[in-house]
Amino acid sequence: QGPLVESGGGLVQAGGSLRLSCAASGRTLLSNTVGWFRQTPGKEREFVAAIHVKTGSTNYAESVKGRFTISRDNAKTTVYLQMNNLKPEDTAVYYCAARDGWITYTVSGQYSDWGQGTQVTVSG
């Protein structure tokens, strides 16, 4: 299986938006659940959102519900995390992860494949 590659991070002011992408190199994600997690220094990796790529079933952390949207492209090779109304507390390194399965797993230890992470910094 090819690696997962995140992109789209950056610096944004509070209230702004960013869209993160998680691309699967050389494979589809059709049988996978893909999750987004975030981590700040000294803290555990925190669940943000997950999607089952085939069914479209989604799951969100309470802290991002109504602000973040997880989706996938028609080719089932890329998963997106649209982040709106960003807050300073959303600042973190964001990671995408994938695993086979049929539910939207929310624990980092349940995922087998990880990307390298992308930094999101929200000022203000």
Side-chain angles (χ1 to χ4, degrees):
Q1 293 182 335
L4 301 174
V5 180
E6 302 100 332
S7 61
L11 173 64
V12 65
Q13 290 187 336
S17 298
L18 284 174
R19 188 175 80 157
L20 305 183
S21 298
C22 174
S25 176
R27 65 174 181 176
T28 70
L29 298 167
L30 192 61
S31 64
N32 287 176
T33 290
V34 175
W36 284 98
F37 290 79
R38 63 189 182 187
Q39 190 169 25
T40 54
K43 293 192 175 180
E44 301 235 337
R45 204 162 284 190
E46 174 190 26
F47 171 73
V48 175
I51 186 169
H52 191 277
V53 174
K54 184 172 184 179
T55 67
S57 177
T58 59
N59 197 352
Y60 294 92
E62 286 296 324
S63 60
V64 306
K65 276 184 181 178
R67 300 188 299 124
F68 291 11
T69 302
I70 190 169
S71 63
R72 80 292 200 204
D73 70 341
N74 290 336
K76 309 297 191 291
T77 60
T78 303
V79 169
Y80 304 100
L81 184 69
Q82 177 66 43
M83 306 186 295
N84 297 328
N85 191 21
L86 282 160
K87 304 175 181 180
E89 51 263 42
D90 295 317
T91 295
V93 177
Y94 283 70
Y95 298 89
C96 70
R99 61 157 290 162
D100 290 337
W102 290 96
I103 66 172
T104 50
Y105 304 91
T106 62
V107 177
S108 60
Q110 294 172 312
Y111 287 82
S112 53
D113 299 336
W114 289 86
Q116 82 288 352
T118 185
Q119 176 71 47
V120 171
T121 303
V122 184
S123 65

